[in-house]
């Protein structure tokens, strides 16, 4: 998570998004190549009599670190660079940019579905090396295609004010505002008040606007645009914090949802048994379907009702997803209660390794609802943070969206640890007992529904007073 922010910082402050994508992609490809090589060095058989050598282990973990570093530069920059290709001052392109975020997520989910349904099968039943090698080859192809289009791209230009680093400009706003806060009005003179022309005296200025004032010693003040950029970043903090209440429930589908599936009857059709982890593809598949409906049906309907060029505002879209996430946790809790009741009725409480008679079909609604929530909240967060940060910091904007998911996962792990400690672990009546038939995931899901609901109402309160950044021409 910290690496992701660092890469976004380097892209926005020094290298630019295009160069960062190239460098990150090369590191990504190198990591995948090493990962494939390490898999080749391990015999592809279940009859391995010795563990891999220290060199193979070192190569394997080194390749994972390279992949992580490559992703941290590639993920925030490539999406921001794609959105940069639309001129937000042109109304039609502004609308198209909003649609771009929908189709971007559509393509991501299509790729994830392909990996879960095809690549994972190859790794499991053919070869791990081939399973790692396929993404490596596709990554090389995508990098080549990306470079071939370099003459067609629009490149964002840094504002031509002495080519000042955006972090330096914004950092100086906070520094001067703090310094001027401690000076008396007699020691200040008004240098520039475009951002607040109605203010009559330094005492009436807000904290950051104090950076527009200069001490009488003649030190340079900040530009009003710099203060606006700094203010825009500060305004994002409460919104970012409230989105964590969505990220915590979002983290559950990779763990507890899958654990539930292990204990259930997994035959979905006669002779067809589905692995529990493969149900994660339902989220991506539902997003693929819902993107088509949302972008081609709901957005045009929304435009005619709200007159908003994107159908609804990004904050309303995020809030809608948070409501659906709350509903998802309630549905998951009800299904888990049903599963526990079924296990008790069939005498399976102390037989966790025996599959219960309850069909895995019962889990489908919570996966599909989570996909619908993702389409609203995650895509909404992408567009919101991209559009609301200063133009030069849009890689940081995408990193903010991704960091919310990372912090949400950490908070989820912390919450689980605290609850497990409080309820006694496996020795007691823990909500997360290793015997899932004695656990109480239903209680946990209800708790997450409450957390999500509280987060939504807090988000609603904050979003009502939020003012969007102005876009000329829209």
């Amino acid at each position: 998570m910290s690496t992701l922010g660092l890469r976004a910082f380097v892209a926005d402050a020094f290298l630019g998004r295009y160069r960062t994508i190239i460098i990150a992609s090369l590191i990504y490809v190198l990591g995948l190549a090493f990962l494939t090589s390490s898999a080749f060095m391990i015999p592809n058989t279940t009859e391995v009599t010795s563990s891999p050598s220290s060199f193979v282990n070192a190569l394997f973990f080194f390749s994972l670190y390279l992949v992580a570093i490559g992703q941290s530069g590639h993920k925030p920059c490539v999406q921001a660079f794609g959105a940069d290709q639309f001129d937000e001052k042109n109304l039609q392109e502004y609308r198209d940019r909003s649609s771009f975020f929908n189709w971007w997520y559509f393509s991501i989910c299509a790729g994830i579905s392909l990996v879960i349904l095809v690549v994972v099968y190859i790794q499991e039943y053919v070869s791990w090396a081939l399973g790692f090698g396929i993404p490596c080859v596709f990554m090389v192809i995508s990098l080549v295609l990306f470079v071939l289009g370099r003459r067609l791209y629009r490149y964002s230009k840094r504002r031509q004010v002495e080519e000042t680093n955006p972090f330096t400009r914004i950092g100086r706003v906070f520094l001067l505002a703090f310094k001027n806060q401690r000076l008396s009005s007699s020691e200040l003179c008004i240098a520039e008040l475009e951002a607040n022309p109605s203010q009559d005296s330094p005492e009436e200025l807000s904290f950051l606007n104090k950076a527009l004032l200069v001490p009488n010693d003649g030190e340079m003040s900040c530009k009003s645009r710099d203060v606006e950029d700094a203010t825009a970043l500060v305004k994002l903090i409460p919104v970012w914090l409230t989105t964590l209440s969505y990220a915590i429930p979002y983290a559950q589908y990779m763990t507890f949802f899958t654990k539930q599936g292990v204990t259930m009857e997994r035959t979905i059709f006669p002779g067809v048994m589905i692995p529990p982890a493969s149900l994660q593809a339902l989220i991506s598949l539902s997003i693929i379907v819902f993107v088509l409906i949302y972008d081609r049906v709901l957005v045009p309907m929304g435009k005619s009702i709200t007159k908003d060029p994107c159908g609804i505002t990004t904050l309303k879209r995020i809030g809608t997803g948070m409501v659906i996430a709350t509903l998802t946790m309630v549905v998951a809790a009800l299904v888990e209660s049903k599963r526990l009741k079924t296990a008790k009725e069939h005498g399976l409480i102390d037989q966790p390794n025996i599959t219960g008679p309850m069909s895995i079909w019962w889990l489908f609604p919570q996966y599909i609802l989570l996909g619908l929530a993702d389409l609203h909240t995650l895509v909404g967060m992408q567009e919101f943070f991209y559009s609301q940060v200063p133009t030069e910091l849009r890689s940081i904007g995408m990193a903010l969206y991704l960091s919310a998911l990372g912090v949400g996962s950490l908070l989820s792990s912390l919450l689980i640890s605290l609850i497990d400690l409080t309820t006694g672990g496996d020795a007691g009546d823990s909500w997360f007992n290793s015997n899932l038939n004695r656990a109480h995931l239903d209680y946990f899901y209800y708790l997450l529904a409450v957390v999500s609901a509280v987060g939504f109402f807090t988000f609603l309160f904050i979003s009502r007073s939020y003012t969007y950044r102005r876009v000329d021409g829209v």
Side-chain angles (χ1 to χ4, degrees), residues 296-445:
R296 296 305 176 194
V297 179
L298 297 183
V299 169
M301 289 174 58
K303 288 178 184 177
S304 63
I305 297 172
T306 65
K307 308 304 179 184
D308 187 284
C310 302
I312 58 173
T313 64
T314 49
L315 287 176
K316 288 180 180 177
R317 183 172 184 175
I318 293 170
T320 301
M322 295 175 77
V323 172
I324 298 173
T326 303
L327 178 61
T328 302
M329 290 297 102
V330 172
V331 170
L334 292 173
V335 170
E336 177 61 9
S337 297
K338 168 70 174 175
R339 190 193 67 80
L340 290 174
K341 182 180 178 181
T342 302
K344 185 176 181 180
E345 290 174 349
H346 289 79
L348 301 176
I349 295 296
D350 293 314
Q351 302 182 61
N353 296 324
I354 296 180
T355 300
M358 187 172 172
S359 173
I360 203 169
W361 279 98
W362 283 84
L363 295 181
F364 278 44
Q366 64 198 59
Y367 277 101
I368 293 172
L369 280 173
L370 188 57
L372 185 57
D374 286 356
L375 173 62
H376 285 84
T377 295
L378 295 188
V379 179
M381 286 170 63
Q382 293 169 14
E383 185 175 359
F384 175 77
F385 286 115
Y386 172 87
S387 63
Q388 296 305 300
V389 296
T391 304
E392 300 131 295
L393 301 181
R394 283 176 165 168
S395 296
I396 288 291
M398 301 312 303
L400 282 173
Y401 141 71
L402 292 166
S403 67
L405 300 181
V407 174
S409 294
L410 290 175
L411 292 177
S412 173
S413 299
L414 178 62
L415 183 61
I416 290 169
S417 298
L418 290 174
I419 293 174
D420 189 47
L421 183 65
T422 303
T423 55
D426 284 345
D429 193 22
S430 172
W431 290 9
F432 310 109
N433 195 299
S434 57
N435 177 359
L436 212 61
N437 295 332
R438 286 195 172 275
H440 280 289
L441 291 184
D442 51 342
Y443 295 170
F444 182 58
Y445 290 150

Side-chain angles (χ1 to χ4, degrees), residues 17 76-88 93-94 96-98 100-101 104 154 382-383 386-387 394 398:
R17 287 187 268 279
C77 293
V78 73
Q79 187 173 5
F81 187 77
D84 286 345
Q85 306 311 304
F86 300 89
D87 182 4
E88 63 182 7
E93 291 197 32
Y94 178 76
D96 291 342
R97 189 185 71 183
S98 181
F100 161 79
F101 284 100
W104 173 273
R154 288 174 174 171
Q382 293 169 14
E383 185 175 359
Y386 172 87
S387 63
R394 283 176 165 168
M398 301 312 303

Side-chain angles (χ1 to χ4, degrees), residues 104-143:
W104 173 273
Y105 205 55
F106 175 94
S107 63
I108 293 294
C109 291
I112 291 173
S113 299
L114 192 63
V115 167
I116 293 175
L117 299 175
V118 178
V119 176
V120 171
Y121 177 88
I122 292 173
Q123 290 174 338
E124 188 71 22
Y125 297 105
V126 182
S127 166
W128 277 94
L130 181 60
F132 288 134
I134 291 173
C136 183
V137 171
F138 275 92
M139 192 66 199
V140 171
I141 294 172
S142 67
L143 177 57

Side-chain angles (χ1 to χ4, degrees), residues 29-46:
V29 169
L30 187 62
L32 289 172
F34 283 155
L35 196 60
T36 304
S37 299
S38 66
F40 268 119
M41 297 177 186
I42 301 175
N44 193 42
T45 175
T46 58

